[in-house]
Amino acid sequence: MCGIVGYIGKQEKKEILINGLKELEYRGYDSAGIAVLSDGELTTFKSVGRICNLENKCGDFVSNGFGLGIAHTRWATHGKPTEANAHPQMATFSNVVHNGIIENYQEIKQSLEKKGHSFLSQTDTEVIVRLFEENLKDTKSPLTAFEKTIASLKGAYAILLITKLAPDRIFYAKSGSPLIIGKGETGIFFASSDAPLIGYAQKVCYLEDGAVGYMDMECFEMLADIKMLEQNKVYAQKEGFRYFMEKEIYEQHKVLLETMMGRVSEEGIFLESLAPDFFDGITEITICACGTSYHAGMSAKYLLERLAKIKTQVVIASEFRYAGSVMRPSELFIAISQSGETADTLEALKLAKKNSLKTLAICNIDNSSIVRESDGVILTRAGIEKGVASTKAFATQVMVLWILSVYIAHQKGLLDENALKEQITSMLQATKATEVSPKLHERLKRLSKRYLHGHGFFFIGRDIFYPLALEGALKLKEISYLHAEGYPSGEMKHGPIALADSLLFTLALLPKHLLYDKIKSNVEELSARDATICAISSEDFESADDMIYIKPASDYMEEFFAMMVVLQLLALEIAIKLGNDVDMPRNLAKSVTVE
Ligand code: G6P
């Protein structure tokens, strides 16, 4: 994910900027750059790949004396990871770095092109710096030109801009993407998260949405709500959350927007990483994965069959490898993996290739083994996931698979324009449903106390809520070490209901928009046998011992994503209450590279 660093002061600027970028490395990126303005000279260095490449590029460049610098790690969205697309983006005498997306950049670009600007990159960011210089033609004031530029932008952004016309200040703007300004003994610092500021800045201001202005050596104290910065690096990387897993649950809303970026828009669904004829001749799909990724695959089966009407089977990689499965030439093999290195999934993929199947990887890590082995790839863009129990990776996998289902359905002519629009609206609403409300989190914290003991948990749901139930049970098992099972609610009466008593905790997924009455009857059967029922729904359910309300939704996918967050947070809170290390659960590894 993209990162920003900035500096104003007398220290060696390159060093401060590069050290700051290194603190952001863990977020994942594919190119980086810095720009330094000192002694009237504006110098820019950019490189693809690791920050050490950028360091090599900078060579022995130094900038002693007063000056400014901005720096960026880019995680490609608009345009490939090339040097031209890396930030800072330049115009004639100004440079800009930007996190987020400028939604109306095409419009701005076209109008600037008409005025004679030629663009050197494929990024949305370049329009900012070119529009700024264009606006300067009508005003002598860089601040006015900058404010006018920002007022024209739609979308989410954190922006730093420097220009030779104002060599003592950095212009900044923030809306929807984080940006912090800090002050320390050696100058003024900027960053998109705390980590680069630690050790440099003692006082900080977390800018609010709508903040636009400039900062020089003098005006820091005029900012509202200045705070002291906690000087602890691990704390900073967790951005104030107790565990990485918690932070990653909270991040889901943001990363899902990244997953959709450039793929889902008002005009339709685009999968630019796949050739338009990629699915030609495919009549069925086999999805293969392990763990949480397998649950994402199971969810996709419902979407692919319901929307794209394509026969889909989902297999566990370690099972598939030795099952002597029949593979047909018209079958597409989809491997899902967060890490891209899971041994069983990788070997299953190789087996499918050996049997001449076309292959597609859905993966979070570019250039991983699974990505390199596959014919096609769709990256999930969840950013680095540190918690061993996967959360945001799952959310983005389901989103990618949903996008894929709609894409194939549309290609096959199964969705008219209205139905396509409905799906797109639903995706945006589902993303919104993953925003964690403090009220919900507080409720789950309190409720978790009641669910620490008992002789087992059943997570039950139907249809696509069945794999979600499996995932809810897996989350709980992984970090709380309590026994939990996911079950299709209609199956309970065929055996598991024998376990029902008050110490059997049942987490019932009751979506209003999918088979509500059917699930309700199944839960009532359990309630009648004294099982303790915790229902997750937007609707009241009289037979429940506890209710966890989700916000009323317009369709079942919105409910799916809202309930996903509930299950993740509940597992987290139960595990914390039990005193477990949530980020490093016993016996588990994040990436399983052995069979
Ligand atoms: C390990 C992890 C799980 C993960 C599974 C598959 O077991 O602990 O969280 O779901 O591997 O990993 P992958 O990287 O292939 O998605």
Side-chain angles (χ1 to χ4, degrees), residues 440-459:
L440 172 73
H441 198 165
E442 198 44 46
R443 163 98 180 116
L444 293 170
K445 268 186 196 163
R446 269 186 287 125
L447 198 67
S448 60
K449 280 187 274 190
R450 286 194 233 165
Y451 289 89
L452 303 180
H453 306 290
H455 61 63
F457 285 78
F458 271 100
F459 287 69

Side-chain angles (χ1 to χ4, degrees), residues 86-158:
H87 302 196
Q89 286 292 315
M90 303 161 257
T92 314
F93 46 83
S94 319
N95 266 221
V96 73
V97 292
H98 158 230
N99 284 357
I101 337 138
I102 306 303
E103 284 163 7
N104 58 337
Y105 83 100
Q106 293 282 26
E107 227 171 286
I108 301 177
K109 192 168 176 175
Q110 279 157 15
S111 90
L112 286 169
E113 276 168 344
K114 281 189 199 134
K115 290 179 183 152
H117 287 262
S118 13
F119 282 76
L120 304 175
S121 78
Q122 299 156 303
T123 63
D124 51 341
T125 303
E126 192 179 348
V127 302
I128 305 170
V129 67
R130 293 202 176 272
L131 183 60
F132 169 74
E133 292 196 355
E134 181 62 32
N135 287 338
L136 265 171
K137 290 181 184 162
D138 303 329
T139 166
K140 291 252 147 16
S141 154
L143 178 61
T144 312
F146 183 71
E147 285 170 341
K148 201 171 158 202
T149 303
I150 299 302
S152 317
L153 305 180
K154 282 192 195 142
Y157 48 78

Side-chain angles (χ1 to χ4, degrees), residues 289-294 336-342 345 370 385 387-390 393 397 474-475 478 588-592:
C290 303
T292 290
S293 300
Y294 170 69
I336 309 176
S337 174
Q338 187 287 126
S339 61
E341 302 298 343
T342 302
T345 314
I370 288 176
E385 188 179 64
V388 168
S390 179
Q397 286 166 345
L474 180 65
K475 284 295 92 65
E478 285 177 317
L588 300 180
K590 182 77 190 149
S591 181
V592 180

Side-chain angles (χ1 to χ4, degrees), residues 381-565:
R381 305 180 183 162
I384 300 240
E385 188 179 64
K386 289 202 170 184
V388 168
S390 179
T391 52
K392 62 175 181 169
F394 174 75
T396 56
Q397 286 166 345
V398 176
M399 181 55 81
V400 161
L401 289 154
W402 183 9
I403 293 172
L404 181 69
S405 308
V406 175
Y407 178 82
I408 300 177
H410 192 242
Q411 264 198 347
K412 286 171 79 177
L414 296 168
L415 292 180
D416 60 21
E417 291 310 309
N418 272 343
L420 179 68
K421 287 227 159 73
E422 272 171 28
Q423 289 292 324
I424 291 169
T425 309
S426 172
M427 284 174 190
L428 290 166
Q429 279 164 344
T431 298
K432 184 117 188 61
T434 61
E435 269 179 319
V436 180
S437 88
K439 204 172 139 206
L440 172 73
H441 198 165
E442 198 44 46
R443 163 98 180 116
L444 293 170
K445 268 186 196 163
R446 269 186 287 125
L447 198 67
S448 60
K449 280 187 274 190
R450 286 194 233 165
Y451 289 89
L452 303 180
H453 306 290
H455 61 63
F457 285 78
F458 271 100
F459 287 69
I460 60 170
R462 273 182 181 244
D463 202 279
I464 194 168
F465 291 84
Y466 162 47
L468 183 60
L470 288 173
E471 178 56 12
L474 180 65
K475 284 295 92 65
L476 188 68
K477 274 189 275 216
E478 285 177 317
I479 57 175
S480 74
Y481 321 139
L482 296 171
H483 179 74
E485 270 188 75
Y487 236 83
S489 63
E491 245 327 88
M492 290 299 284
K493 60 169 101 44
H494 298 292
I497 205 166
L499 294 171
D501 67 18
S502 62
L503 290 178
L504 178 81
F505 297 145
T506 302
L507 270 293
L509 307 182
L510 277 154
K512 182 182 174 194
H513 298 286
L514 194 70
L515 301 171
Y516 181 78
D517 291 326
K518 303 270 175 218
I519 309 171
K520 204 170 151 197
S521 313
N522 300 143
V523 183
E524 258 148 15
E525 287 155 12
L526 279 157
S527 171
R529 284 154 187 88
D530 235 9
T532 299
I533 310 289
C534 177
I536 309 176
S537 187
S538 60
E539 306 302 293
D540 275 325
F541 179 47
E542 280 167 15
S543 310
D545 297 271
D546 283 313
M547 279 297 310
I548 302 172
Y549 288 103
I550 57 161
K551 287 194 186 129
S554 331
D555 64 37
Y556 72 85
M557 285 308 284
E558 194 180 336
E559 293 178 298
F560 178 97
F561 279 89
M563 289 188 194
M564 173 195 76
V565 174

